[in-house]
Amino acid sequence: MSDMKLTVKVWRQKNAKTPGKFETYKVNANEHMSFLEMMDVLNEQLVHDKKEPVAFEHDCREGICGACSMVIDGQPHGPLQATTTCQLHMRHFKDGDTITVEPFRAKAFPVVKDLVVDRSAFDRIIQSGGYISVNTGQAVDGNSIPVEKDVAVKAFDAATCIGCGACVAACPNGSAMLFTSAKISHLGLLPQGEIEHKHRTLKMVAQMDKEGFGYCTNIGACSAECPKEISLENIARMNRSFINASLTTDK
Amino acid sequence: MQLDSKIPEGPLSEKWKKYKSTVPLVAPNNKRRIEVIVVGTGLAGASAAATLGELGYKVKAFTFHDSPRRAHSIAAQGGINAAKNYQNDGDSVYRLFYDTIKGGDYRAREANVYRLAEVSTQIIDQCVAQGVPFAREYGGLLENMSFGGVQVSRTFYAKGQTGQQLLIGAYQALSRQISTGAVKMYNRHEMMDLVVVDGKARGIIARNLLTGELERHSAHCVLLATGGYGNVFYLSTNAMGSNVSAAWRATRRGALMANPCFTQIHPTCIPQSGDYQSKLTLMSESLRNDGRVWVPKNLEDAKAIREGKKTALDIKEEDRDYYLERRYPAFGNLVPRDVASRAAKVECDKGLGVSPTGLAVFLDFSSAIERYGKAEANTQGLTNASPEEIKAMGTKVVEDKYGNLFEMYEKIAGENPYIYPMKIYPAVHYTMGGLWVDYNLETNIPGLFALGEANFSDHGANRLGASALMQGLADGYFVAPYTIGQFLANEIRTGEINTQSAAFEEAEKQTKSRIDRLMNVKGNQSVESFHRRLGKIMWDLCGMSRNAEGLKEGRRLIRELREEFYKDVFVPGNADDFNPELEKAYRVADFLELGELMMIDAYERNESCGGHFREEYQTPEGEAQRDDENYTYVAAWKWDDNEPQLTKEPLVFENVKLIQRSYK
Ligand SMILES: Cc1cc2nc3c(=O)[nH]c(=O)nc-3n(C[C@H](O)[C@H](O)[C@H](O)COP(=O)(O)OP(=O)(O)OC[C@H]3O[C@@H](n4cnc5c(N)ncnc54)[C@H](O)[C@@H]3O)c2cc1C
Ligand code: SF4
Ligand code: FES
């Protein structure tokens, strides 16, 4: 097991009102650790020295809950494609490396502390229409409406979004188009969700704007940094249905 | 104390139907005046909060996460069971009931389990209607697979991300109720204590995790859907934040904790690689459908593999021991989890383990790849496909089925599992024990309900794969919304619950002094280091196998550790601030008490059943030896710092015959 001596520059910020700055630390790690385990080592060291550890968000540590959120060397979730921060392992770094760690930055994601940001705007986008209006107990038999396998797969692919916000952090405009369009596609592609599709699109897009997310200028950084490889196709689909809905809906 | 499980009269298959048609209801105009607190927004909590909101109750939902969508349920991989019998392979409600009772080694309540099997079919319908993109066949219908411990295909799944898709469904339903105002959502709020007024659960003390402020919230009843406590072992497959505190605080207020020692150790997890390790990662049980488990037959081969001189590929077929297929020909690699885990331990204890630590066995997909490859070649009419082509086609099929799991494995282990067999080892995964509840899912504190993994009710001493998601959603969508009616029907004239009463006052004060105590120790050791040490004691002495000596010793060690904790823990920062270290500290403090109770419970149960394996009680073949005469009961514990008190709820089996569980 080879040891690595690293220099880690971490963004420290007490809260949204206080300006933050980088602090530099030395950390001894090894290649089998995950990136967050390396951060654990750093925190253990800080606690040992009676200092406050670095606050960062994490929970599942297997790439599915969407809690972890670090910009590592300028990239949301770090250098590896299709990988969340928690799934990134130290074998992708070298002994002697200097690593910079920052929070996901965006106007709509205010800093809570250090590397923790407030992503509740995403919840509000879902609340504005990201659901199918069916009460418990109203459902028909699961097999009464067959769904073409390819359609189900497409809907599934869009539904794998973990709500992490890397797309927003990656976008120079701080746009939430990839996140929002993934939900609109997931539900709109399925026969069960198609009925509310237009209405849903209009409401979710309006909420997205209200939260202060920026516009999409087709840069594509969102999809490139997305740990779940959510496709840009979803944005195109959303744009089409938005125009369509704006023209045809009388609600 | 007498425990009344409140099981309705009548034949098993009629109980729930009859109950539903006779349970007192709360009229819509009254519902608007009744408040319900739901703590937890995993599958159980989100589904309950959404459904109660739809029904017209005033709901307040709490989660310590920054969003309901991040609950630990999101990480469930494999699937969810339901007795749909879409595959026409002989499944039925009764068979699902029977499999669950048997799989749980006859330590669960018949009536609860039957109801679970009954509502399972509705869950699938509900989820499909919400837009959960389950796997489908080419004809457009829902696809199924089989899971451990059963011989039918009744598991519905969405690749290896079933929990995610189900939770997103429930989260969306919840979001819809939040948008209408029916549910008020409190993110980043942690329940710190339960408030009991005149013997009824009437509210909680919550800590706003951003500001550290303590808040009082009242309601007519409280539902805990706060998940399991596997993290008492420090290393487990649970999410880092999963903890026992909500349930434990209820226990401290007089709720009973049932069968706390019943822990599920899952056979297929990625082995630990070092001391810095923070958690373990599950490789879904669904992989055992296609993966074959083996170790080398010879000690020398195992040693060479451990030292890196050989790989699995160097071991000839005749030198491999597919020990599950050998020992359990009827179920083979699909034996239930407790059986598979113990078998892996047996092989590693013999010195046949295959990782540097000696604690790993192989999970091998080469046969499946070949089988699928040949089938694919046949379908495509390629009669003389080369072995390489067959392998490539087979690999593609396996990738379609388990791609994300294989990817996850490779990211962590750094080895390509399509070529080299996976290395796996058992790890703590799920806790069957939990708050004692009756048929109504109500604890012994009136008005306090427990749902999902937080209660003990359906899985006995061992849970079958894909049954936790089913139970969480059954409890939340279809059971609790009815059963809380029998309590609330008597509350329509109660009026709003005042948060200025002495009970709220006292609970808040106690919470504050607990926090102050932790902040003021100002010792020298981190919370994490105590948690690690607790986990090691639990794993060594209350893990995959247990004995009386060790359990006694374990109890003593935990007591000592607890004393040291309050003398020497260091919690940095302030209490009136966002402070993740403080959160960890109060959770670990509760684990230190729970751990002791688990030792006591395991010590008291002088039999082996399911995941509880007492070395003193085994058959000549090394299988778990139950003692039905003396231990066919639920052990429900009242906490007491000196001597916790045991109440027994006898389990009565009227419909199944208790037999030695056999998978041979
Ligand atoms: C890796 C993994 C894979 C699994 N795969 C499967 C599978 O394929 N099939 C299957 O059936 N089961 C599976 N399980 C088990 C299953 O996922 C869980 O048992 C189930 O999801 C638990 O759901 P829950 O709603 O009871 O609790 P959780 O999902 O754990 O939710 C708990 C909720 O309570 C909240 N909470 C807890 N304490 C407090 C507090 N004090 N204050 C405020 N909020 C609090 C949390 O924020 C969270 O919202 C798996 C488990 C793991 C670990
Ligand atoms: S679209 Fe991708 S990057 Fe954006 S929130 Fe979803 S998973 Fe994260
Ligand atoms: S911690 Fe859950 S996705 Fe990274």
mmCIF file of all heavy atoms in Angstrom, chain B residues 90-125:
data_model
loop_
_atom_site.group_PDB
_atom_site.id
_atom_site.type_symbol
_atom_site.label_atom_id
_atom_site.label_comp_id
_atom_site.label_asym_id
_atom_site.label_seq_id
_atom_site.Cartn_x
_atom_site.Cartn_y
_atom_site.Cartn_z
ATOM 1 N N GLY B 90 -46.258 -19.845 -9.650
ATOM 2 C CA GLY B 90 -46.793 -20.428 -8.410
ATOM 3 C C GLY B 90 -46.715 -19.511 -7.214
ATOM 4 O O GLY B 90 -46.859 -19.950 -6.076
ATOM 5 N N ASP B 91 -46.469 -18.232 -7.432
ATOM 6 C CA ASP B 91 -46.406 -17.330 -6.294
ATOM 7 C C ASP B 91 -47.824 -16.967 -5.840
ATOM 8 O O ASP B 91 -48.781 -17.043 -6.612
ATOM 9 C CB ASP B 91 -45.634 -16.059 -6.655
ATOM 10 C CG ASP B 91 -45.115 -15.353 -5.407
ATOM 11 O OD1 ASP B 91 -45.209 -15.952 -4.318
ATOM 12 O OD2 ASP B 91 -44.618 -14.224 -5.521
ATOM 13 N N SER B 92 -47.923 -16.583 -4.595
ATOM 14 C CA SER B 92 -49.218 -16.169 -4.043
ATOM 15 C C SER B 92 -48.950 -15.397 -2.765
ATOM 16 O O SER B 92 -47.831 -15.421 -2.251
ATOM 17 C CB SER B 92 -50.062 -17.399 -3.725
ATOM 18 O OG SER B 92 -49.428 -18.135 -2.686
ATOM 19 N N VAL B 93 -49.988 -14.735 -2.263
ATOM 20 C CA VAL B 93 -49.849 -14.022 -1.000
ATOM 21 C C VAL B 93 -49.396 -14.990 0.092
ATOM 22 O O VAL B 93 -48.491 -14.690 0.871
ATOM 23 C CB VAL B 93 -51.195 -13.344 -0.613
ATOM 24 C CG1 VAL B 93 -51.164 -12.860 0.827
ATOM 25 C CG2 VAL B 93 -51.487 -12.196 -1.565
ATOM 26 N N TYR B 94 -50.009 -16.164 0.096
ATOM 27 C CA TYR B 94 -49.645 -17.117 1.137
ATOM 28 C C TYR B 94 -48.173 -17.521 1.028
ATOM 29 O O TYR B 94 -47.471 -17.616 2.028
ATOM 30 C CB TYR B 94 -50.523 -18.372 1.087
ATOM 31 C CG TYR B 94 -50.204 -19.299 2.246
ATOM 32 C CD1 TYR B 94 -50.782 -19.089 3.496
ATOM 33 C CD2 TYR B 94 -49.258 -20.321 2.108
ATOM 34 C CE1 TYR B 94 -50.453 -19.892 4.577
ATOM 35 C CE2 TYR B 94 -48.920 -21.127 3.189
ATOM 36 C CZ TYR B 94 -49.527 -20.907 4.422
ATOM 37 O OH TYR B 94 -49.184 -21.688 5.497
ATOM 38 N N ARG B 95 -47.693 -17.707 -0.200
ATOM 39 C CA ARG B 95 -46.299 -18.141 -0.353
ATOM 40 C C ARG B 95 -45.322 -17.041 0.098
ATOM 41 O O ARG B 95 -44.322 -17.325 0.753
ATOM 42 C CB ARG B 95 -46.024 -18.555 -1.803
ATOM 43 C CG ARG B 95 -44.684 -19.245 -1.975
ATOM 44 C CD ARG B 95 -44.465 -19.676 -3.411
ATOM 45 N NE ARG B 95 -45.282 -20.822 -3.791
ATOM 46 C CZ ARG B 95 -44.932 -22.098 -3.565
ATOM 47 N NH1 ARG B 95 -43.806 -22.382 -2.961
ATOM 48 N NH2 ARG B 95 -45.708 -23.081 -3.950
ATOM 49 N N LEU B 96 -45.627 -15.821 -0.219
ATOM 50 C CA LEU B 96 -44.762 -14.719 0.222
ATOM 51 C C LEU B 96 -44.779 -14.633 1.756
ATOM 52 O O LEU B 96 -43.746 -14.463 2.399
ATOM 53 C CB LEU B 96 -45.231 -13.395 -0.400
ATOM 54 C CG LEU B 96 -44.522 -12.113 0.061
ATOM 55 C CD1 LEU B 96 -43.011 -12.216 -0.061
ATOM 56 C CD2 LEU B 96 -45.012 -10.903 -0.746
ATOM 57 N N PHE B 97 -45.964 -14.782 2.310
ATOM 58 C CA PHE B 97 -46.102 -14.817 3.770
ATOM 59 C C PHE B 97 -45.257 -15.947 4.341
ATOM 60 O O PHE B 97 -44.454 -15.758 5.259
ATOM 61 C CB PHE B 97 -47.594 -15.003 4.112
ATOM 62 C CG PHE B 97 -47.845 -15.660 5.439
ATOM 63 C CD1 PHE B 97 -47.704 -14.947 6.626
ATOM 64 C CD2 PHE B 97 -48.228 -17.001 5.493
ATOM 65 C CE1 PHE B 97 -47.936 -15.568 7.846
ATOM 66 C CE2 PHE B 97 -48.454 -17.620 6.721
ATOM 67 C CZ PHE B 97 -48.305 -16.910 7.897
ATOM 68 N N TYR B 98 -45.418 -17.129 3.766
ATOM 69 C CA TYR B 98 -44.724 -18.298 4.297
ATOM 70 C C TYR B 98 -43.203 -18.139 4.185
ATOM 71 O O TYR B 98 -42.459 -18.399 5.139
ATOM 72 C CB TYR B 98 -45.189 -19.564 3.558
ATOM 73 C CG TYR B 98 -44.508 -20.799 4.071
ATOM 74 C CD1 TYR B 98 -44.927 -21.397 5.260
ATOM 75 C CD2 TYR B 98 -43.399 -21.347 3.410
ATOM 76 C CE1 TYR B 98 -44.275 -22.514 5.762
ATOM 77 C CE2 TYR B 98 -42.740 -22.446 3.914
ATOM 78 C CZ TYR B 98 -43.177 -23.032 5.084
ATOM 79 O OH TYR B 98 -42.521 -24.123 5.593
ATOM 80 N N ASP B 99 -42.752 -17.700 3.021
ATOM 81 C CA ASP B 99 -41.301 -17.511 2.823
ATOM 82 C C ASP B 99 -40.739 -16.522 3.850
ATOM 83 O O ASP B 99 -39.625 -16.692 4.339
ATOM 84 C CB ASP B 99 -41.013 -16.972 1.414
ATOM 85 C CG ASP B 99 -41.190 -18.040 0.338
ATOM 86 O OD1 ASP B 99 -41.239 -19.241 0.691
ATOM 87 O OD2 ASP B 99 -41.295 -17.666 -0.846
ATOM 88 N N THR B 100 -41.507 -15.464 4.129
ATOM 89 C CA THR B 100 -41.023 -14.429 5.046
ATOM 90 C C THR B 100 -40.956 -14.958 6.479
ATOM 91 O O THR B 100 -39.986 -14.702 7.201
ATOM 92 C CB THR B 100 -41.925 -13.184 4.967
ATOM 93 O OG1 THR B 100 -42.073 -12.821 3.595
ATOM 94 C CG2 THR B 100 -41.344 -12.022 5.742
ATOM 95 N N ILE B 101 -41.989 -15.710 6.871
ATOM 96 C CA ILE B 101 -41.995 -16.293 8.215
ATOM 97 C C ILE B 101 -40.857 -17.302 8.369
ATOM 98 O O ILE B 101 -40.105 -17.271 9.347
ATOM 99 C CB ILE B 101 -43.355 -16.999 8.483
ATOM 100 C CG1 ILE B 101 -44.463 -15.962 8.678
ATOM 101 C CG2 ILE B 101 -43.261 -17.952 9.662
ATOM 102 C CD1 ILE B 101 -44.544 -15.355 10.067
ATOM 103 N N LYS B 102 -40.717 -18.146 7.363
ATOM 104 C CA LYS B 102 -39.668 -19.162 7.430
ATOM 105 C C LYS B 102 -38.287 -18.493 7.364
ATOM 106 O O LYS B 102 -37.400 -18.796 8.163
ATOM 107 C CB LYS B 102 -39.833 -20.151 6.266
ATOM 108 C CG LYS B 102 -38.714 -21.171 6.158
ATOM 109 C CD LYS B 102 -38.840 -22.015 4.888
ATOM 110 C CE LYS B 102 -37.607 -22.913 4.725
ATOM 111 N NZ LYS B 102 -37.434 -23.419 3.354
ATOM 112 N N GLY B 103 -38.138 -17.570 6.418
ATOM 113 C CA GLY B 103 -36.864 -16.864 6.285
ATOM 114 C C GLY B 103 -36.484 -16.176 7.590
ATOM 115 O O GLY B 103 -35.315 -16.085 7.939
ATOM 116 N N GLY B 104 -37.475 -15.700 8.323
ATOM 117 C CA GLY B 104 -37.228 -15.023 9.600
ATOM 118 C C GLY B 104 -37.037 -15.992 10.749
ATOM 119 O O GLY B 104 -37.000 -15.582 11.910
ATOM 120 N N ASP B 105 -36.925 -17.266 10.410
ATOM 121 C CA ASP B 105 -36.696 -18.328 11.390
ATOM 122 C C ASP B 105 -37.766 -18.340 12.489
ATOM 123 O O ASP B 105 -37.470 -18.566 13.657
ATOM 124 C CB ASP B 105 -35.293 -18.220 12.005
ATOM 125 C CG ASP B 105 -34.633 -19.600 12.112
ATOM 126 O OD1 ASP B 105 -35.305 -20.599 11.814
ATOM 127 O OD2 ASP B 105 -33.441 -19.661 12.498
ATOM 128 N N TYR B 106 -39.006 -18.092 12.076
ATOM 129 C CA TYR B 106 -40.167 -18.214 12.964
ATOM 130 C C TYR B 106 -40.073 -17.325 14.199
ATOM 131 O O TYR B 106 -40.372 -17.744 15.305
ATOM 132 C CB TYR B 106 -40.357 -19.687 13.367
ATOM 133 C CG TYR B 106 -40.387 -20.601 12.172
ATOM 134 C CD1 TYR B 106 -39.234 -21.290 11.771
ATOM 135 C CD2 TYR B 106 -41.546 -20.736 11.418
ATOM 136 C CE1 TYR B 106 -39.254 -22.105 10.654
ATOM 137 C CE2 TYR B 106 -41.566 -21.552 10.298
ATOM 138 C CZ TYR B 106 -40.425 -22.229 9.923
ATOM 139 O OH TYR B 106 -40.439 -23.030 8.819
ATOM 140 N N ARG B 107 -39.623 -16.105 13.984
ATOM 141 C CA ARG B 107 -39.580 -15.191 15.111
ATOM 142 C C ARG B 107 -40.319 -13.892 14.781
ATOM 143 O O ARG B 107 -40.053 -12.849 15.365
ATOM 144 C CB ARG B 107 -38.116 -14.917 15.515
ATOM 145 C CG ARG B 107 -37.396 -16.134 16.132
ATOM 146 C CD ARG B 107 -38.021 -16.543 17.456
ATOM 147 N NE ARG B 107 -37.428 -17.770 18.001
ATOM 148 C CZ ARG B 107 -37.969 -18.991 17.855
ATOM 149 N NH1 ARG B 107 -39.107 -19.155 17.176
ATOM 150 N NH2 ARG B 107 -37.386 -20.043 18.399
ATOM 151 N N ALA B 108 -41.264 -13.980 13.817
ATOM 152 C CA ALA B 108 -42.094 -12.812 13.519
ATOM 153 C C ALA B 108 -43.565 -13.180 13.722
ATOM 154 O O ALA B 108 -43.916 -14.353 13.793
ATOM 155 C CB ALA B 108 -41.867 -12.341 12.086
ATOM 156 N N ARG B 109 -44.392 -12.138 13.789
ATOM 157 C CA ARG B 109 -45.820 -12.321 14.043
ATOM 158 C C ARG B 109 -46.556 -12.690 12.762
ATOM 159 O O ARG B 109 -46.460 -11.964 11.767
ATOM 160 C CB ARG B 109 -46.360 -10.983 14.533
ATOM 161 C CG ARG B 109 -47.149 -11.045 15.791
ATOM 162 C CD ARG B 109 -47.719 -9.674 16.065
ATOM 163 N NE ARG B 109 -47.080 -9.032 17.186
ATOM 164 C CZ ARG B 109 -46.825 -7.744 17.269
ATOM 165 N NH1 ARG B 109 -47.113 -6.931 16.274
ATOM 166 N NH2 ARG B 109 -46.265 -7.257 18.336
ATOM 167 N N GLU B 110 -47.317 -13.768 12.794
ATOM 168 C CA GLU B 110 -48.022 -14.212 11.586
ATOM 169 C C GLU B 110 -48.898 -13.112 10.972
ATOM 170 O O GLU B 110 -48.850 -12.851 9.771
ATOM 171 C CB GLU B 110 -48.916 -15.414 11.918
ATOM 172 C CG GLU B 110 -48.191 -16.738 11.941
ATOM 173 C CD GLU B 110 -49.174 -17.898 12.044
ATOM 174 O OE1 GLU B 110 -50.350 -17.675 12.392
ATOM 175 O OE2 GLU B 110 -48.749 -19.040 11.775
ATOM 176 N N ALA B 111 -49.727 -12.487 11.808
ATOM 177 C CA ALA B 111 -50.731 -11.560 11.269
ATOM 178 C C ALA B 111 -50.093 -10.363 10.576
ATOM 179 O O ALA B 111 -50.543 -9.932 9.509
ATOM 180 C CB ALA B 111 -51.652 -11.078 12.386
ATOM 181 N N ASN B 112 -49.021 -9.824 11.165
ATOM 182 C CA ASN B 112 -48.363 -8.681 10.529
ATOM 183 C C ASN B 112 -47.766 -9.079 9.187
ATOM 184 O O ASN B 112 -47.855 -8.347 8.206
ATOM 185 C CB ASN B 112 -47.244 -8.139 11.431
ATOM 186 C CG ASN B 112 -47.782 -7.388 12.625
ATOM 187 O OD1 ASN B 112 -48.572 -7.929 13.396
ATOM 188 N ND2 ASN B 112 -47.378 -6.137 12.767
ATOM 189 N N VAL B 113 -47.128 -10.244 9.177
ATOM 190 C CA VAL B 113 -46.448 -10.665 7.956
ATOM 191 C C VAL B 113 -47.467 -10.961 6.856
ATOM 192 O O VAL B 113 -47.259 -10.620 5.687
ATOM 193 C CB VAL B 113 -45.554 -11.896 8.232
ATOM 194 C CG1 VAL B 113 -44.929 -12.402 6.944
ATOM 195 C CG2 VAL B 113 -44.472 -11.545 9.241
ATOM 196 N N TYR B 114 -48.598 -11.543 7.234
ATOM 197 C CA TYR B 114 -49.602 -11.841 6.214
ATOM 198 C C TYR B 114 -50.119 -10.539 5.587
ATOM 199 O O TYR B 114 -50.272 -10.435 4.371
ATOM 200 C CB TYR B 114 -50.763 -12.653 6.803
ATOM 201 C CG TYR B 114 -51.603 -13.251 5.700
ATOM 202 C CD1 TYR B 114 -51.286 -14.492 5.153
ATOM 203 C CD2 TYR B 114 -52.672 -12.546 5.162
ATOM 204 C CE1 TYR B 114 -52.018 -15.016 4.105
ATOM 205 C CE2 TYR B 114 -53.412 -13.055 4.109
ATOM 206 C CZ TYR B 114 -53.088 -14.292 3.587
ATOM 207 O OH TYR B 114 -53.797 -14.810 2.544
ATOM 208 N N ARG B 115 -50.352 -9.563 6.431
ATOM 209 C CA ARG B 115 -50.823 -8.267 5.917
ATOM 210 C C ARG B 115 -49.791 -7.661 4.963
ATOM 211 O O ARG B 115 -50.142 -7.113 3.912
ATOM 212 C CB ARG B 115 -51.072 -7.317 7.086
ATOM 213 C CG ARG B 115 -51.426 -5.903 6.642
ATOM 214 C CD ARG B 115 -51.712 -5.014 7.826
ATOM 215 N NE ARG B 115 -50.537 -4.819 8.665
ATOM 216 C CZ ARG B 115 -50.564 -4.240 9.868
ATOM 217 N NH1 ARG B 115 -51.709 -3.837 10.386
ATOM 218 N NH2 ARG B 115 -49.455 -4.098 10.561
ATOM 219 N N LEU B 116 -48.536 -7.785 5.340
ATOM 220 C CA LEU B 116 -47.468 -7.268 4.477
ATOM 221 C C LEU B 116 -47.546 -7.909 3.093
ATOM 222 O O LEU B 116 -47.495 -7.234 2.060
ATOM 223 C CB LEU B 116 -46.109 -7.555 5.131
ATOM 224 C CG LEU B 116 -44.863 -7.217 4.327
ATOM 225 C CD1 LEU B 116 -44.745 -5.717 4.121
ATOM 226 C CD2 LEU B 116 -43.601 -7.740 5.027
ATOM 227 N N ALA B 117 -47.680 -9.235 3.078
ATOM 228 C CA ALA B 117 -47.744 -9.950 1.800
ATOM 229 C C ALA B 117 -48.974 -9.504 1.012
ATOM 230 O O ALA B 117 -48.934 -9.345 -0.209
ATOM 231 C CB ALA B 117 -47.777 -11.457 2.059
ATOM 232 N N GLU B 118 -50.055 -9.272 1.732
ATOM 233 C CA GLU B 118 -51.308 -8.881 1.087
ATOM 234 C C GLU B 118 -51.192 -7.522 0.394
ATOM 235 O O GLU B 118 -51.636 -7.353 -0.739
ATOM 236 C CB GLU B 118 -52.378 -8.781 2.175
ATOM 237 C CG GLU B 118 -53.602 -9.590 1.932
ATOM 238 C CD GLU B 118 -54.561 -9.483 3.119
ATOM 239 O OE1 GLU B 118 -54.102 -9.452 4.289
ATOM 240 O OE2 GLU B 118 -55.763 -9.421 2.861
ATOM 241 N N VAL B 119 -50.623 -6.538 1.083
ATOM 242 C CA VAL B 119 -50.585 -5.205 0.471
ATOM 243 C C VAL B 119 -49.439 -5.057 -0.530
ATOM 244 O O VAL B 119 -49.382 -4.064 -1.253
ATOM 245 C CB VAL B 119 -50.514 -4.054 1.512
ATOM 246 C CG1 VAL B 119 -51.696 -4.111 2.466
ATOM 247 C CG2 VAL B 119 -49.214 -4.049 2.265
ATOM 248 N N SER B 120 -48.554 -6.053 -0.573
ATOM 249 C CA SER B 120 -47.386 -5.925 -1.449
ATOM 250 C C SER B 120 -47.796 -5.623 -2.893
ATOM 251 O O SER B 120 -47.148 -4.843 -3.586
ATOM 252 C CB SER B 120 -46.525 -7.187 -1.390
ATOM 253 O OG SER B 120 -47.208 -8.280 -1.975
ATOM 254 N N THR B 121 -48.899 -6.230 -3.324
ATOM 255 C CA THR B 121 -49.274 -6.074 -4.740
ATOM 256 C C THR B 121 -49.695 -4.636 -5.040
ATOM 257 O O THR B 121 -49.414 -4.111 -6.110
ATOM 258 C CB THR B 121 -50.434 -7.014 -5.089
ATOM 259 O OG1 THR B 121 -51.510 -6.752 -4.196
ATOM 260 C CG2 THR B 121 -50.030 -8.465 -4.943
ATOM 261 N N GLN B 122 -50.345 -4.008 -4.062
ATOM 262 C CA GLN B 122 -50.777 -2.621 -4.268
ATOM 263 C C GLN B 122 -49.594 -1.665 -4.399
ATOM 264 O O GLN B 122 -49.689 -0.636 -5.041
ATOM 265 C CB GLN B 122 -51.610 -2.164 -3.065
ATOM 266 C CG GLN B 122 -53.067 -2.533 -3.132
ATOM 267 C CD GLN B 122 -53.732 -2.157 -1.809
ATOM 268 O OE1 GLN B 122 -53.526 -2.820 -0.808
ATOM 269 N NE2 GLN B 122 -54.490 -1.079 -1.809
ATOM 270 N N ILE B 123 -48.507 -2.027 -3.695
ATOM 271 C CA ILE B 123 -47.328 -1.144 -3.728
ATOM 272 C C ILE B 123 -46.835 -0.983 -5.158
ATOM 273 O O ILE B 123 -46.538 0.119 -5.615
ATOM 274 C CB ILE B 123 -46.195 -1.713 -2.851
ATOM 275 C CG1 ILE B 123 -46.653 -1.793 -1.397
ATOM 276 C CG2 ILE B 123 -44.941 -0.876 -2.982
ATOM 277 C CD1 ILE B 123 -45.656 -2.474 -0.483
ATOM 278 N N ILE B 124 -46.753 -2.126 -5.851
ATOM 279 C CA ILE B 124 -46.228 -2.072 -7.221
ATOM 280 C C ILE B 124 -47.142 -1.197 -8.085
ATOM 281 O O ILE B 124 -46.668 -0.332 -8.838
ATOM 282 C CB ILE B 124 -46.124 -3.503 -7.807
ATOM 283 C CG1 ILE B 124 -45.193 -4.364 -6.953
ATOM 284 C CG2 ILE B 124 -45.636 -3.464 -9.263
ATOM 285 C CD1 ILE B 124 -43.809 -3.794 -6.715
ATOM 286 N N ASP B 125 -48.452 -1.396 -7.966
ATOM 287 C CA ASP B 125 -49.392 -0.586 -8.751
ATOM 288 C C ASP B 125 -49.175 0.898 -8.472
ATOM 289 O O ASP B 125 -49.113 1.723 -9.382
ATOM 290 C CB ASP B 125 -50.843 -0.952 -8.398
ATOM 291 C CG ASP B 125 -51.133 -2.428 -8.642
ATOM 292 O OD1 ASP B 125 -50.378 -3.049 -9.413
ATOM 293 O OD2 ASP B 125 -52.100 -2.950 -8.052
#
